[in-house]
């Protein structure tokens, strides 16, 4: 504290203590942040915006970045305005939002369970959303809206089941991971059975959805996810961010610092389940973004804690770049974005395992 006070005397506007800068405002309020973390988040935002402009300007109707920006500002011609506003911009916005939602959900799960394998893909929530969507496709036969509703209902129901199986002994890390893996295995079997009961056209539709794709996504799919993010991002980042950092030190330490650990964990898990379920309803179960984005963000920031904002920004950049690659990697044919994220995520896991083995940690 003495070092802080001495530094404050020299520089009243802010001090740097072990990589943390503190800005003090009127009324004694202060904001703590790490400059490197802010730089990483800002770099990811810039990367996402550059990739978004590139995605909007590429295709059968090519446009230069200047034309894209002019059209986005409302000064484009009729053809350019139609292509940007009605065809390409909704897909890019959906990619940004889905990537942000998955990455934020993954960061929350990994922080709550204190395990880098904590993600919707591993804990069964993605499989639950897939089970809900497959039930709609095979049993009900509804359209896109019903499919999205089925995905959200399936993810939410899976969250309730996992909560019911773990709440009696507390929502602890390894118990939650083990129960989630068991639920995921069960739901994988259910999804396989539903696929065997589907007709050919239904099975093709189901397999395409299960791969994860942004093809044909418009404002009707993007806007509901935008509304969910507008509500849950402030709740998670601003309302629960400090408590989540305390939870990473253990329940006893968190309670000693005044955190209601159980109630906070329930709120965070509910928010993460809803984020991953609505993201799956928008684009299908896109693999590996929720798992890899928080870990990459932590490596880039070199900061402890859940790194919620850098993870969110990095996830958005990752998915819009992956979708751009999926559209342009094979001439004359578009790949589902889930194929690209699966290949990149699998490569990352192999690299991570090799790195950990060389370091003697596994």
């Amino acid at each position: 504290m003495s070092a802080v006070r001495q530094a404050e005397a020299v520089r009243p506007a802010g001090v740097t203590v072990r990589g943390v800068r503190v800005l003090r405002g009127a009324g004694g309020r202060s904001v703590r942040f790490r400059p490197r973390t802010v730089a990483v988040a800002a770099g990811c935002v810039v990367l996402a915006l550059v990739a978004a402009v590139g995605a909007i300007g590429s295709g059968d109707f090519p446009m230069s970045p200047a034309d894209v920006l002019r059209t986005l500002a409302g000064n484009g011609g009729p053809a350019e305005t139609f292509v940007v506003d009605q065809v390409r911009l909704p897909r890019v916005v959906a990619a940004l939002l889905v990537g942000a939602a998955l990455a934020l959900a993954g960061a929350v799960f990994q922080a709550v369970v204190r395990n880098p394998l904590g993600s919707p893909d591993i804990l069964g929530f993605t499989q639950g959303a897939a089970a809900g969507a497959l039930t709609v496709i095979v049993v009900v036969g509804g359209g896109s809206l019903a499919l999205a509703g089925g995905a959200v209902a399936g993810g939410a129901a899976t969250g309730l089941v996992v909560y019911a199986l773990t709440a009696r002994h507390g929502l602890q890390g390894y118990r939650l991971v083990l129960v989630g893996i068991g639920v995921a295995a069960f739901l994988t079997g259910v999804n396989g059975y539903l696929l065997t009961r589907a007709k050919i056209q239904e099975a093709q539709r189901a397999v395409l959805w299960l791969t994860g794709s942004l093809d044909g996504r418009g404002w009707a799919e993007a806007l509901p996810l935008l509304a969910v993010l507008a509500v849950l991002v402030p709740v998670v980042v601003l309302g629960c961010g400090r408590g989540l950092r305390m939870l990473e030190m253990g329940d006893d330490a968190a309670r000693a610092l005044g955190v209601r650990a159980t109630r906070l964990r329930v709120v965070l898990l509910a928010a993460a389940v809803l984020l991953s379920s609505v993201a799956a309803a928008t684009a299908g179960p896109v693999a590996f973004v929720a798992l890899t984005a928080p870990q990459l963000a932590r490596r880039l920031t070199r900061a402890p804690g859940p790194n919620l904002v850098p993870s969110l920004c990095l996830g958005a950049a990752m998915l819009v770049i992956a979708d751009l690659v999926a559209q342009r990697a094979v001439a004359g044919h578009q790949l589902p974005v889930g194929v690209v994220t699966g290949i990149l995520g699998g490569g990352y896991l192999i690299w991570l395992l090799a790195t950990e083995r060389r370091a003697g940690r596994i």
Side-chain angles (χ1 to χ4, degrees):
M1 291 298 294
S2 60
V4 175
R5 287 167 182 166
Q6 290 174 3
E8 285 177 334
V10 176
R11 189 182 297 177
V15 298
T16 300
V17 181
R18 295 178 182 176
V20 178
R21 179 170 286 271
V22 181
L23 290 179
R24 302 189 184 281
R29 294 185 177 182
S30 62
V31 177
R32 300 172 70 250
F33 66 96
R34 293 176 180 272
R36 184 183 179 92
T37 300
V38 175
V40 169
C44 291
V45 171
V46 172
L47 180 62
L49 293 177
V50 171
V53 171
I56 294 173
S58 63
D60 296 333
F61 187 83
M63 299 170 62
S64 68
D67 291 337
V68 172
L69 295 176
R70 188 178 69 252
T71 304
L72 290 175
N75 298 318
E80 294 171 329
T81 301
F82 173 78
V83 170
V84 171
D85 292 349
Q86 302 300 321
V87 179
R88 296 176 182 171
L89 183 59
R91 177 170 180 157
V92 169
V93 171
L96 292 169
L97 297 177
V98 170
L102 289 175
L104 183 59
V108 170
F109 279 125
Q110 291 178 18
V112 168
V113 303
R114 285 186 285 170
N115 191 314
L117 292 179
S119 82
D121 307 332
I122 306 296
L123 300 181
F125 301 109
T126 299
Q127 290 81 356
L134 284 176
T135 302
V136 170
I137 293 174
V138 176
V139 179
V140 181
S144 299
L145 184 61
L147 188 149
V152 174
T158 304
L160 292 175
V161 170
V162 171
Y163 176 79
L165 293 175
T166 57
R168 182 178 179 183
H169 303 287
L171 294 169
Q172 301 299 324
Y174 283 107
R175 184 180 298 113
L176 193 60
V177 171
L178 291 176
V179 170
I181 290 175
V183 171
F186 173 78
L187 290 173
T188 300
V190 172
N191 293 342
Y193 172 76
L194 289 173
L195 280 176
T196 64
R197 305 300 299 174
K199 297 178 182 177
I200 294 297
Q201 291 183 342
E202 294 171 345
Q204 290 178 339
R205 182 186 177 197
V207 169
L208 178 62
W209 188 87
L210 288 173
T211 305
S213 175
L214 289 162
D215 187 27
R217 298 304 187 271
W219 293 117
E221 289 81 16
L223 292 179
L225 181 54
L226 177 61
V228 171
L229 282 169
V231 174
L232 292 184
V233 168
V235 170
V236 173
V237 176
L238 301 178
C240 303
R242 179 182 176 276
L244 187 57
R245 289 192 295 273
M246 300 298 106
L247 277 182
E248 285 198 321
M249 297 188 298
D251 284 10
D252 293 338
R255 290 192 181 97
L257 293 170
V259 176
R260 296 183 177 181
T262 301
R263 189 176 71 172
L264 178 63
R265 190 173 281 117
V266 170
V267 172
L268 286 168
L269 289 178
V273 168
L274 186 57
L275 284 170
S276 57
S277 299
V278 178
T282 303
V286 180
F288 283 114
V289 175
L291 180 66
T292 57
Q295 297 183 32
L296 289 174
R298 179 171 297 197
R299 288 176 179 273
L300 291 173
T301 61
R302 300 176 186 174
N307 285 287
L308 296 176
V309 175
S311 299
L312 184 151
C313 298
L314 181 58
M318 286 175 58
L319 198 57
V320 73
I321 293 173
D323 189 46
L324 179 59
V325 173
Q327 294 181 65
R328 307 294 170 234
V330 180
H333 182 70
Q334 293 190 17
L335 298 173
V337 68
V339 173
V340 177
T341 59
I343 293 173
L344 296 177
Y348 170 76
L349 279 181
I350 293 173
W351 172 83
L352 180 63
L353 291 173
T355 302
E356 295 293 311
R357 184 174 182 178
R358 282 196 298 270
R361 288 190 284 267
I362 60 174

